[in-house]
């Protein structure tokens, strides 16, 4: 999978200029999510727009209303917005998100009410388009930009929607500079790809490549009205647009010629970017910049695991000191959380799971939470009984009220969690053979493609497919824009794609002419390894763990060559200024682990390579129980060349992920299986480690068939790295 962290959040200046945005890597702004704008005590206003269904010929989406719900829950329950000051326009509201209603809402709710010290948030999720610009601007590189991004609105006929030029004028009219605009749409092509929908209408115009409509007369007149109100000439407006955003900060989900994905999660849909951004913000703290750095870093592999063709970007107003301030221009007003209570009826509660780790929000996974009031005092606990999408129900023990936050204490994992493999229609007459091979494999399920409207009907982790001409052309197009060499499999070969069909799983495609039976036999071991990796990631809990534990990955013998780092929210570790050093192929690497808590911990390390395969690195086959112990208050190197007789070397180019696990209880099953047997199937060894982690506390209380992970007992961290 292609990923270069240093390049991941760079973007096209020409596209940004259409909105008045210029290049700025998002991680350079990460402190905005964690540091407060001191003295900001004004009103907090938000306008959130999400459009799933369009009355015109545009293809419908599924996750835009969820985006609005995500943002509203976050703003109200973490950033302290008054619900009455958050105006939403969706398909489900009385006022529909038409062009005129959105413009009126912006003027009445935001422009007329916002005062200089107030905070304003505008969010749009829906289709994007592009139109010809009657007054094109000149980009920083000198090129003339003839097109302008347009946000497609809910209107009974096709229109130009709201142009980026109009948004620039609306933002300019606000009396406050404390403005954040989040735009989860794109204009680079529409339709569906694999198991995702694309938030663009370009491919719904009858395949008219290169056709860009002119804006409607009403849109141009609206712009003229605001230019007069703001005393702006055409030349002055063009000059301002070429310099940067009008006010505050603008974030967009995808850059030029990329796709903003409307994603099918386990049993709900949402914008991939909005969900991951919002989910990370549930855990931002006002006293630790490091929490934001980790949250932003976690967005990168999460997005890239699904698609490498969506790169979010952001920019800020050039004047003043706004670049030093947080997005939303506020500290989180209320304690960090995984969920918030939305209804209480006796001992029955309903809650919103906005902050739960994406990798853990799967069918069969359930949670138990502590209830925390506005002062962060524990007043009871809630055990989840059911979930539909991000809405959940549970049983309350203690007291709670609407708005109380929930912090995870226990995660129950399904004993036989299955890997879902989508079967692409390109398999044709071989669909039955592929389906039978997957279905008879341990803990895997085959899912057939249903229709352009339904797609697969559920989240699939990978898609088994032939390399068609269309898929190969798409990969070649992405390779050209990424400017990185890619080996694209030959036509008609069989292998695995990511759910968005714009990335192949490395080393998964075979030779031309391979039979489906041979391809299935070849791919099942890889799928088992991919399953093992997914199972381990169900335990990830950097934000929830109560242990004080940190891990760094570095090139061996070079402590300043930091590859990556991760730590729990309770850790005393500080963020290193640079943590994206690539590992040269064949070079040795090591880990520095730190236990700043008061109890000894036992360690395990696994690595997922660029092809998705997982390998146990630690404990080593010769390990004894005491040798993998990390004493309280101590740090150690793994491996330590001075004492250890093993080493780790980078063997495959590409992006990998290291999983570093610490547990209060000994990892006896993991040690036993690696010490007594050679060439243990990776799924079996991972099951042994999971048994250690999930029985750590339950074995001391009561035996249960469920695998239970306690946040007080383990820390499971992830570090993404690159081998070149």
């Amino acid at each position: 999978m292609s990923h270069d962290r240093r390049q991941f959040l760079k973007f096209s200046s020409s596209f940004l200029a259409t909105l008045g945005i210029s290049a700025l890597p998002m991680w350079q702004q990460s402190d905005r999510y964690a540091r407060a704008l001191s003295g900001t005590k004004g009103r907090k206003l938000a306008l959130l727009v999400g459009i799933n269904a369009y009355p015109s010929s545009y293809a419908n989406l599924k996750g835009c209303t969820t985006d609005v719900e995500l943002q509203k829950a976050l703003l109200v329950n973490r950033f302290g917005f008054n619900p009455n000051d958050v105006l939403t326009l969706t398909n489900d509201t009385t006022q529909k998100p038409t062009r005129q209603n959105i413009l009126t809402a912006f003027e009445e709710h935001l422009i007329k009410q916002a005062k200089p010290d107030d905070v304003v948030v505008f969010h749009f999720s829906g289709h994007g388009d592009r139109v010809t610009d009657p007054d094109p601007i000149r980009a920083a590189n000198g090129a003339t930009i003839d097109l302008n991004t347009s946000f497609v609105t809910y209107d009974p006929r096709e229109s130009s929607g709201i142009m980026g030029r109009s948004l620039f004028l609306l933002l300019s009219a606000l009396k406050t500079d404390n403005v954040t605009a989040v735009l989860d749409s794109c204009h680079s092509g529409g339709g569906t790809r694999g198991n995702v929908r694309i938030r663009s209408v370009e491919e719904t115009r009858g395949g008219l490549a290169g056709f860009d409509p002119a804006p409607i007369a009403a849109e141009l007149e609206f712009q003229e009205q605001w230019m007069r109100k703001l005393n702006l000439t055409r030349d002055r407006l063009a000059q301002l647009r070429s310099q940067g955003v009008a006010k505050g900060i603008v974030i967009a989900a995808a850059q030029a010629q990329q796709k903003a994905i409307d994603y099918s999660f386990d049993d709900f849909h949402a914008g991939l970017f909005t969900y991951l951004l919002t989910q990370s913000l549930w855990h931002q703290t006002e006293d630790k910049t490091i929490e934001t750095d980790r949250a932003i870093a976690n967005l990168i592999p999460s997005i890239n695991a699904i698609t490498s063709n969506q790169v979010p970007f952001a920019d800020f107003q050039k004047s003043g000191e706004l670049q030093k301030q947080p997005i939303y221009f506020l500290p989180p007003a209320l304690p960090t959380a995984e969920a918030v209570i939305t209804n209480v009826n006796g001992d029955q509660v309903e809650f919103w799971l906005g902050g739960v780790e994406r990798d853990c929000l799967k069918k069969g996974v359930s949670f138990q939470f502590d209830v925390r009031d506005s002062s962060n005092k524990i007043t009871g606990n809630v055990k989840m009984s059911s979930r539909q999408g991000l809405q959940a129900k549970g049983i309350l023990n203690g007291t709670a009220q609407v708005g109380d936050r929930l912090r995870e204490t226990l995660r129950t994992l399904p004993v036989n969690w299955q890997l879902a493999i989508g079967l692409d229609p390109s398999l044709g007459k071989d669909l039955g053979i592929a389906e039978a091979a997957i279905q008879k494999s341990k803990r895997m399920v085959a899912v057939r493609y249903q229709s352009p409207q339904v797609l697969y009907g559920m989240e699939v982790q990978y898609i088994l497919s032939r390399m068609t001409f269309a898929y190969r052309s798409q990969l070649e197009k992405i390779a050209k824009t990424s400017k990185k060499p890619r080996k694209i499999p030959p036509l008609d070969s069989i292998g695995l794609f990511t759910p968005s069909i714009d990335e192949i799983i490395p080393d998964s495609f075979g030779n031309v002419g391979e039979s489906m039976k041979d391809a299935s036999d070849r791919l099942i071991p890889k799928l088992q390894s991919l399953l093992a990796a997914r199972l381990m990631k169900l335990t990830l809990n950097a934000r929830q763990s109560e242990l004080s534990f940190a891990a760094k990955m570095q090139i061996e013998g070079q402590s300043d060559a930091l590859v990556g780092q991760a730590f729990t929210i309770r850790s005393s570790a500080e963020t290193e200024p640079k943590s994206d050093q690539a590992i040269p192929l064949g070079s040795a690497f090591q880990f520095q682990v730190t236990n700043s808590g008061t109890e000894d911990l036992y360690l395990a390390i696994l690595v997922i390579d660029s092809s998705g395969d997982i390998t146990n690195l630690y404990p080593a086959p010769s390990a004894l129980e005491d040798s993998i112990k990390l004493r309280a208050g101590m740090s150690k190197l793994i491996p330590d060349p001075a004492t250890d007789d093993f080493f780790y070397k980078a063997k495959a180019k590409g992006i990998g992920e290291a999983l570093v696990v610490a547990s209060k209880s000994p990892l006896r099953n993991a040690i036993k299986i690696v010490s007594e047997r050679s060439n243990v199937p990776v799924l079996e060894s991972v099951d042994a480690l999971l048994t250690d982690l999930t029985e750590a506390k339950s074995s001391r209380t009561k035996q249960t068939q469920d695998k239970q992970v306690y946040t007080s007992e383990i820390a499971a961290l992830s570090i993404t790295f690159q081998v070149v």
Side-chain angles (χ1 to χ4, degrees), residues 304-324:
N304 212 27
I306 295 168
T307 176
S308 65
N309 199 33
Q310 179 174 346
V311 180
F313 54 80
D315 192 33
F316 54 86
Q317 187 182 6
K318 296 301 179 291
S319 61
E321 299 296 323
L322 296 185
Q323 64 269 31
K324 299 179 182 179

Side-chain angles (χ1 to χ4, degrees), residues 141-171:
N141 60 6
T144 298
I145 303 169
D146 297 315
L147 300 176
N148 193 243
T149 294
S150 174
F151 308 104
V152 183
T153 55
Y154 180 88
D155 286 282
R157 62 181 179 82
E158 295 182 8
S159 73
S160 64
I162 298 173
M163 295 170 63
R165 191 165 178 250
S166 298
L167 180 60
F168 186 95
L169 289 164
L170 290 169
L171 293 173

Side-chain angles (χ1 to χ4, degrees), residues 405-420:
R405 276 139 304 283
L406 302 177
R407 289 301 311 271
E408 180 188 341
T409 57
L410 172 67
R411 185 179 305 167
T412 302
L413 309 182
V415 176
N416 291 309
W417 189 79
Q418 292 181 310
L419 195 69

Side-chain angles (χ1 to χ4, degrees), residues 266 358-365 387 417 459 461 538:
D266 191 57
R358 181 185 76 88
D359 286 317
C360 305
L361 204 60
K362 306 293 183 184
K363 287 186 177 68
V365 179
R387 177 182 67 82
W417 189 79
E459 182 179 16
Q461 284 74 49
L538 290 177

Side-chain angles (χ1 to χ4, degrees), residues 224-451:
E224 291 291 339
Q225 291 173 8
W226 270 108
M227 287 170 63
R228 290 193 293 270
K229 291 178 183 179
L230 297 169
N231 294 318
L232 290 175
T233 64
R234 290 178 181 275
D235 289 342
R236 179 56 178 160
L237 177 58
Q239 180 185 17
L240 291 174
R241 288 174 62 208
S242 66
Q243 291 176 356
V245 302
K247 286 286 180 76
I249 301 166
V250 177
I251 310 173
Q255 59 175 296
Q257 306 308 318
Q258 290 191 333
K259 307 175 183 68
I261 287 180
D262 193 85
Y263 191 68
S264 172
F265 291 91
D266 191 57
D267 59 354
F268 68 97
H269 294 78
L272 178 63
F273 171 72
T274 295
Y275 173 74
L276 294 176
L277 174 69
T278 307
Q279 186 260 336
S280 70
L281 288 177
W282 276 89
H283 298 276
Q284 299 309 305
T285 61
E286 56 183 299
D287 60 340
K288 262 195 172 186
T289 305
I290 190 64
E291 172 64 16
T292 290
D293 289 339
R294 185 171 71 247
I296 294 298
N298 283 345
L299 284 180
I300 298 171
S302 295
I303 290 176
N304 212 27
I306 295 168
T307 176
S308 65
N309 199 33
Q310 179 174 346
V311 180
F313 54 80
D315 192 33
F316 54 86
Q317 187 182 6
K318 296 301 179 291
S319 61
E321 299 296 323
L322 296 185
Q323 64 269 31
K324 299 179 182 179
Q325 308 305 332
I327 294 177
Y328 302 153
F329 296 91
L330 290 167
L334 300 165
T336 61
E338 282 73 60
V340 61
I341 292 179
T342 57
N343 186 46
V344 179
N345 184 10
D347 66 348
Q348 306 292 310
V349 295
E350 297 177 5
F351 47 98
W352 175 258
L353 293 165
V356 172
E357 296 278 359
R358 181 185 76 88
D359 286 317
C360 305
L361 204 60
K362 306 293 183 184
K363 287 186 177 68
V365 179
S366 63
F367 306 90
Q368 186 168 305
F369 306 91
D370 278 342
V371 180
R372 295 177 182 257
D373 62 18
S374 58
S375 64
N376 213 25
K377 178 183 176 182
I378 298 176
T379 63
N381 62 73
V382 169
K383 184 176 182 180
M384 191 175 90
S385 57
S386 64
R387 177 182 67 82
Q388 181 62 47
L390 293 170
Q391 300 280 0
K393 296 181 180 180
I395 307 300
L396 170 67
N397 177 27
T399 61
Q401 59 184 357
V402 173
D404 283 350
R405 276 139 304 283
L406 302 177
R407 289 301 311 271
E408 180 188 341
T409 57
L410 172 67
R411 185 179 305 167
T412 302
L413 309 182
V415 176
N416 291 309
W417 189 79
Q418 292 181 310
L419 195 69
I421 313 300
L423 302 180
D424 190 82
S426 64
L427 297 179
K429 60 183 179 60
D430 290 327
L431 269 169
I433 299 173
E435 185 174 47
I438 292 171
Q439 297 289 76
K440 74 177 183 180
S441 301
K442 185 179 181 182
R443 287 146 71 175
M444 294 184 199
V445 59
V447 184
R448 292 198 180 202
Y449 181 88
Q450 298 182 44
S451 71

